[in-house]
């Protein structure tokens, strides 16, 4: 699988971690993506893919692409035999200046690009991308489009600053301390975060802590779960296990088994690191 990635230029660098191009065969037809403290934008250039965003929401097809605000639960992606797309991995607040609606309306409910930007605009963008000379030019075209669509967003500066504080502490800073430091009420803070990120500060902190803990796991080595849970600031191993199941649907030991399967069957694959085989 071909994967090309690069960091964006200012002003997008405050909103986006990287722009990417992806083409080739996915490692599995179905992949589970546990929640991360990040948003996602995909412009699809191949056959449609499908997303199941939770057990209470049916699987939906995405032909032109999609936007996903910071999720609160795992998603399942179903891929065609060959996939091709460009997109952006965004910071938790990164989609807000690109959306015509509050992020809270999209929480755990991905939208197609047409629903966000309209069919003519998306069709024109996909046409330009399809005729580009290569991945780097495609990323430049996407970067130019995103820059052109930026709009002023009330409260973005506050959420970006406090979101950075949450990330810097690995999600362990008490939210009451966060609101006190910002000089705003916890209610106001929660409202702003939901409008711009889609989830509350408490939920974002939980996701940061879970993500940091998972990235600390080396699936190739034995794991001391008690030590890992304590180091991450969980009350005890039972609390840690509950969070693990809430975020992934798996027990910690089952998660490691699935990660080891990915590493064994597809060593060095471009999509290794976070997605898990769902079948």
């Amino acid at each position: 699988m071909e994967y090309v990635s690069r960091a964006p230029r200012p002003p997008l660098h405050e909103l986006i971690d990287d722009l990417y191009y992806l083409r080739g065969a996915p490692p599995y037809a179905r992949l589970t993506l546990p929640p991360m403290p990040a948003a996602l934008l995909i412009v699809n250039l191949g056959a449609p893919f499908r997303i199941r965003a939770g057990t209470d929401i049916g699987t939906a097809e995405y032909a032109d692409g999609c936007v996903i605000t910071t999720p609160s639960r795992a998603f399942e992606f179903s891929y065609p035999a060959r996939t091709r797309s460009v997109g952006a991995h965004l910071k938790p607040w990164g989609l807000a200046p690109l959306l015509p609606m509050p992020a809270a309306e999209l929480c755990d409910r991905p939208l197609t690009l047409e629903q966000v930007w309209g069919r003519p605009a998306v069709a024109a963008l996909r046409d330009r991308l399809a005729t580009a000379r290569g991945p780097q030019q495609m990323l430049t075209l996407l970067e130019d489009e995103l820059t052109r669509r930026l709009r002023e967003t009330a409260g973005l500066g506050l959420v970006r600053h406090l979101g950075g504080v949450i990330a810097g502490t690995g999600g362990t800073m008490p939210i009451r301390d966060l609101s006190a430091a910002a000089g705003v009420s916890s209610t106001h803070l929660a409202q702003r975060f939901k409008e711009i990120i889609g989830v509350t500060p408490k939920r974002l902190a939980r996701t940061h802590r879970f993500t940091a803990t998972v990235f600390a796991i080396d699936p190739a080595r034995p794991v001391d779960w008690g030590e890992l849970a304590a180091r991450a600031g969980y009350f005890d191993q039972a609390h840690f296990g509950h969070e693990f199941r809430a975020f992934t649907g798996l027990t910690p030991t089952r998660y490691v088994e699935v990660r080891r399967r990915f590493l064994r069957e597809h060593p060095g694959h471009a999509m290794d690191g976070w997605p898990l085989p769902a079948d």
Side-chain angles (χ1 to χ4, degrees):
M1 173 168 276
E2 182 181 7
Y3 184 81
V4 179
S5 171
R6 78 176 191 218
R9 304 184 306 266
L12 291 181
H13 70 296
E14 294 187 334
L15 305 172
I16 295 173
D17 287 320
D18 74 289
L19 304 166
Y20 73 87
Y21 168 82
L22 181 69
R23 183 185 69 170
Y28 302 96
R30 293 165 53 234
L31 285 168
T32 296
L33 274 69
M36 285 193 73
L40 180 63
L41 182 148
I42 301 172
V43 184
N44 189 40
L45 302 172
F49 57 86
R50 301 175 69 85
I51 302 176
R52 187 182 185 192
T55 56
D56 60 332
I57 301 176
T59 302
E61 185 172 273
Y62 297 82
D64 65 312
C66 69
V67 294
I68 300 175
T69 58
T70 302
S72 69
R73 55 187 172 186
F75 286 2
E76 182 183 290
F77 274 67
S78 298
Y79 288 96
R82 302 284 294 180
T83 189
R84 185 169 182 252
S85 63
V86 295
H89 297 113
L90 300 103
K91 301 178 188 299
W93 52 85
L95 270 179
L98 302 167
L99 296 176
M101 72 285 285
E105 295 182 14
L106 279 66
C107 183
D108 295 331
R109 296 180 180 275
L111 291 185
T112 67
L113 278 184
E114 288 185 2
Q115 289 173 306
V116 178
W117 292 341
R119 179 173 295 181
V122 174
L125 173 61
R126 294 177 75 207
D127 285 344
R128 292 198 302 275
L129 291 168
T131 57
R133 290 190 296 272
Q136 291 297 340
Q137 186 180 34
M138 295 171 79
L139 296 184
T140 298
L141 289 170
L142 177 61
E143 186 174 29
D144 291 344
E145 179 71 16
L146 296 178
T147 301
R148 185 181 67 80
R149 288 188 170 275
L150 290 178
R151 61 180 182 83
E152 292 292 327
T153 306
L156 178 62
L158 173 69
V159 171
R160 184 174 61 225
H161 170 67
L162 297 182
V165 173
I166 291 173
T169 63
T172 60
M173 183 176 184
I175 302 305
R176 62 179 178 275
D177 293 350
L178 200 66
S179 57
V184 298
S185 70
S186 57
T187 301
H188 175 81
L189 197 61
Q191 180 181 354
R192 281 301 192 196
F193 266 68
K194 290 185 72 174
E195 288 173 352
I196 291 175
I197 294 179
V199 296
T200 64
K202 183 177 181 180
R203 184 70 196 198
L204 181 65
R206 284 178 61 194
T207 306
H208 268 292
R209 182 165 61 170
F210 170 77
T211 304
T213 305
V214 169
F215 281 141
I217 297 172
D218 181 354
R221 301 173 63 87
V223 182
D224 185 331
W225 295 111
E227 179 186 348
L228 188 69
R231 193 165 62 244
Y234 290 101
F235 297 131
D236 51 33
Q237 197 168 335
H239 179 212
F240 173 64
H242 178 271
E243 286 288 271
F244 224 101
R245 287 188 293 273
F247 277 103
T248 67
L250 304 172
T251 65
T253 52
R254 178 58 182 158
Y255 167 84
V256 171
E257 290 173 359
V258 174
R259 286 286 295 114
R260 287 171 178 166
R261 174 191 169 191
F262 197 125
L263 292 171
R264 183 176 64 253
E265 296 177 347
H266 298 280
H269 196 280
M271 298 180 77
D272 176 37
W274 194 248
L276 300 169
D279 48 10

